[in-house]
Amino acid sequence: MKKYLILLLLFCSFTVYADIYKDEAKKITADKKRISEIGKKLSTDEKECENPSKNDLSRNVVSELKIYCEARESAKSRIPDIKNLLAEYENILKNYLDECKTVDTDEKYSKCESLDQQVAASAERLNDEKEKFNSEIDTMENAAARAKELNERSNDAGREDFKRTVTNNLNAKKELVQAMQKGLEEDNKVFKTSKTKLNQSLKNDSPDSAKIGKDFLGGLNSILLQNNNLRQICASMLKTINEAQNVCVTKLNMDKCRKEETKLENLFNDGNSKLSAYKDEKNNLVAIENDYHKAGMGNILAKTENAQKTISNYLQGLKEQNSYLNQQLGMSDKNTEIVKSRNNKKLLDTYLKLVATMKELEKESAEFIKFYEEYLSKINNFTATCVNGKSEFTTECKIEGDKIVNDINTQEPKIMKYGENLNKFNKDFADFFNKFNKN
C-alpha cells in the first residue's frame, strides 16, 4: 500500500525539493488513474446486487455476494472524497514546494512550518481514506473470489441434485404411464372379447334384449376407439419422457429441457382429460351392460328354471330305473342257471339277450344320471353367479346360460330313445317270464 510522506522539508535544497515533488506527483498521478479506473467499473450496475437473495444461489454464495455488494457500494461512495483529497493534497503540496524552495528568513520559516503542517495533515487524511477504500476493495475482491468458488462447488452439486431430481420425476411419470398403459391393454382385451361374445349373443336375443344389445355394441365400438387413442397418447408420453431424460439429464440442455417439460405437461393434461372422459364412458357402458344383462337374464332364467324342473323329473325316474336294472342284473346269474336247467336253447338265448340289453340300459341310465346331476350343479352355480350376484362387465353369462340349456336340450332325443328302449325291454322281459312260467 502506497502512503504519502508526512513532510518536514524546511532548509532542504532545491534538488531535494524537486525529487520529492516528482515522487509525490507520480504517486498522485498513479492514484488518480487507479481511482478513475475503479470508478468506471463501479459505476456500472451490478444485477446480482439488486436482490442477492432472489438469485438461484446457495445460502453461502448469497452471504458472500451480500458482503461483496455492501463493500462495493461503500467503496463507490468513497471515490468522490478520495478524488477531492487527492486534489487537495496535490494543491497543498505544490504550494508548499513553490513557497519553500528557499527559507532564509524567520517569516519564511514560520510560513513554511505552517505549510508543512498542512501538507502532513492533508497526507494523513488522504492516507486514512485510502486505507479504508483499499480495505473495502480487498473485501469486495475477496468476497467475489469466495462467491465464485462456492458457486462453482454449488453448481457441481446442484447439477447432480438436478439430475437426480429430474430422473426421479421422469421415472415416476414413466411408471405411472406404464401402469396406465397396462390397464388400457387389459381393458382392450376385455372389450374385444365382450364385443365378439355380444355379437354371438345378439343372434338369439329377444327384440327387447336385442335393442339394448345394439346400444351396448355401439358403446363398445366407441370405447375401443377411445382406448386406442389413449394408448397412442401413452406411447407419446413414454417417447417424450425418454427425450426429456436425454436433453435434461444426459446433455443438460436447459432450453430444450424446458421445451420437453412443456410438451410433457401438455401431453399429461390432454391424457388426464381424455382418461377422465374414458372412465365416464366405461361407467355408462357398465350401466348399459347391466340393462342388457337383466333383459337377457330374464329370458335365460326362465329357460334354466324350466331345464332344472325337467332334470329333476328325469333324475327321479332314471334313478328308480337304474336301481331296478341293477337289481335284475344282480339276479341275472342265478336266473341264467334256472333257465339253463330247462334245457331250452331258445329260451336261454332270449334271456341272455335280455341281460345284455339290461347292461346297456343300466349303463345309459347311469350316464344320464351323471350328466343331469352335473348340469343341475351348473344351473345352481349359474344362478348364484350370473343371476343373483352378477355385476361384472361381460356378456359371458348369457352365452353360458344358453349353452347350459342347449346342452340339456340336446340330450332330449337321446333320453327319449332310451325311454323307448326301456319300455321295449320291460315288455320283452315280462313276455319272456310269462312264457317261461307257462313252460
Side-chain angles (χ1 to χ4, degrees), residues 371-436:
F371 172 84
Y372 284 125
E373 285 182 339
E374 178 185 346
Y375 271 76
L376 190 61
S377 177
K378 284 187 177 183
I379 289 174
N380 290 334
N381 290 335
F382 171 81
T383 302
T385 303
C386 286
V387 178
N388 298 334
K390 184 64 183 171
S391 62
E392 63 192 57
F393 190 79
T394 178
T395 59
E396 291 183 358
C397 275
K398 184 175 183 301
I399 295 171
E400 182 184 350
D402 281 333
K403 184 177 185 307
I404 290 172
V405 173
N406 288 337
D407 287 349
I408 292 170
N409 289 340
T410 56
Q411 291 294 105
E412 190 73 17
K414 296 178 183 178
I415 200 165
M416 293 301 293
K417 183 65 175 176
Y418 161 81
E420 291 174 4
N421 291 336
L422 181 65
N423 289 335
K424 184 176 182 306
F425 165 76
N426 286 332
K427 181 179 180 303
D428 291 344
F429 195 65
D431 290 345
F432 171 80
F433 275 102
N434 285 333
K435 289 180 181 180
F436 181 78

Side-chain angles (χ1 to χ4, degrees), residues 1-6 31 78 80-93 114-134:
M1 184 191 300
K2 290 188 289 184
K3 287 190 177 183
Y4 291 94
L5 297 175
I6 307 299
D31 276 343
R78 290 184 185 278
D81 289 340
I82 291 177
K83 285 182 177 181
N84 291 334
L85 289 171
L86 278 168
E88 176 191 84
Y89 178 66
E90 186 177 33
N91 290 333
I92 291 173
L93 181 62
S114 176
L115 289 174
D116 178 65
Q117 290 174 357
Q118 290 178 27
V119 171
S122 179
E124 187 173 359
R125 287 193 298 273
L126 179 58
N127 285 335
D128 287 345
E129 190 64 23
K130 275 188 64 181
E131 284 183 359
K132 294 174 184 177
F133 179 77
N134 289 333

Side-chain angles (χ1 to χ4, degrees), residues 353-368:
K353 286 180 181 179
L354 289 171
V355 170
T357 302
M358 273 193 292
K359 289 179 179 179
E360 291 176 3
L361 291 171
E362 190 280 333
K363 181 181 178 182
E364 278 189 81
S365 65
E367 288 175 351
F368 280 126

Side-chain angles (χ1 to χ4, degrees), residues 127-158:
N127 285 335
D128 287 345
E129 190 64 23
K130 275 188 64 181
E131 284 183 359
K132 294 174 184 177
F133 179 77
N134 289 333
S135 176
E136 284 164 352
I137 293 296
D138 288 342
T139 299
M140 185 180 77
E141 291 175 349
N142 290 335
R146 286 195 299 270
K148 182 181 179 182
E149 181 183 357
L150 289 170
N151 192 43
E152 287 175 353
R153 292 180 189 173
S154 176
N155 283 341
D156 290 341

Side-chain angles (χ1 to χ4, degrees), residues 1-2 23 36 42 48 58 70 106 117 133 173 175 203 238 251 273 282 314 357 363-364 373 400 417:
M1 184 191 300
K2 290 188 289 184
D23 289 342
S36 178
L42 297 181
E48 285 77 6
S58 70
E70 289 171 1
D106 289 343
Q117 290 174 357
F133 179 77
K173 282 183 170 63
E175 289 176 4
K203 295 175 183 178
L238 291 175
K251 296 182 178 178
S273 176
K282 276 182 70 174
Y314 280 146
T357 302
K363 181 181 178 182
E364 278 189 81
E373 285 182 339
E400 182 184 350
K417 183 65 175 176

Side-chain angles (χ1 to χ4, degrees), residues 25-56:
K26 286 180 180 178
K27 291 179 184 178
I28 291 169
T29 301
D31 276 343
K32 281 183 177 181
K33 182 179 179 182
R34 176 172 176 262
I35 295 301
S36 178
E37 290 174 351
I38 292 174
K40 286 181 181 179
K41 290 180 181 178
L42 297 181
S43 66
T44 58
D45 292 333
E46 189 77 73
K47 291 183 179 180
E48 285 77 6
C49 289
E50 290 177 2
N51 192 341
S53 300
K54 284 190 176 180
N55 295 317
D56 187 17

Side-chain angles (χ1 to χ4, degrees), residues 125-276:
R125 287 193 298 273
L126 179 58
N127 285 335
D128 287 345
E129 190 64 23
K130 275 188 64 181
E131 284 183 359
K132 294 174 184 177
F133 179 77
N134 289 333
S135 176
E136 284 164 352
I137 293 296
D138 288 342
T139 299
M140 185 180 77
E141 291 175 349
N142 290 335
R146 286 195 299 270
K148 182 181 179 182
E149 181 183 357
L150 289 170
N151 192 43
E152 287 175 353
R153 292 180 189 173
S154 176
N155 283 341
D156 290 341
R159 278 192 290 271
E160 293 306 314
D161 286 342
F162 175 78
K163 286 182 178 181
R164 279 193 296 271
T165 300
V166 170
T167 298
N168 290 339
N169 287 339
L170 291 176
N171 285 341
K173 282 183 170 63
K174 182 178 284 188
E175 289 176 4
L176 181 65
V177 173
Q178 287 173 337
M180 178 178 167
Q181 197 174 42
K182 183 178 179 182
L184 289 167
E185 288 170 355
E186 291 173 353
D187 279 355
N188 189 56
K189 290 178 183 178
V190 171
F191 296 148
K192 284 185 175 179
T193 301
S194 291
K195 183 178 176 180
T196 300
K197 293 187 176 181
L198 176 61
N199 282 323
Q200 295 172 359
S201 178
L202 284 171
K203 295 175 183 178
N204 300 317
D205 272 346
S206 64
D208 290 341
S209 182
K211 183 179 182 302
I212 300 172
K214 288 177 181 177
D215 291 340
F216 184 32
L217 183 60
L220 279 171
N221 288 329
S222 173
I223 206 164
L224 279 167
L225 288 174
Q226 292 182 51
N227 181 281
N228 182 61
N229 187 24
L230 278 169
R231 284 186 289 120
Q232 289 178 356
I233 290 175
C234 285
S236 295
M237 285 178 177
L238 291 175
K239 182 180 178 182
T240 305
I241 287 170
N242 290 334
E243 290 171 352
Q245 179 77 19
N246 182 42
V247 298
C248 297
V249 178
T250 305
K251 296 182 178 178
L252 273 175
N253 187 324
M254 291 300 101
D255 289 337
K256 289 186 177 180
C257 182
R258 280 187 286 272
K259 290 179 182 178
E260 291 301 322
E261 184 180 31
T262 300
K263 183 179 177 182
L264 194 57
E265 183 179 354
N266 291 337
L267 277 172
F268 265 85
N269 289 337
D270 183 40
N272 287 333
S273 176
K274 289 182 178 178
L275 182 62
S276 178

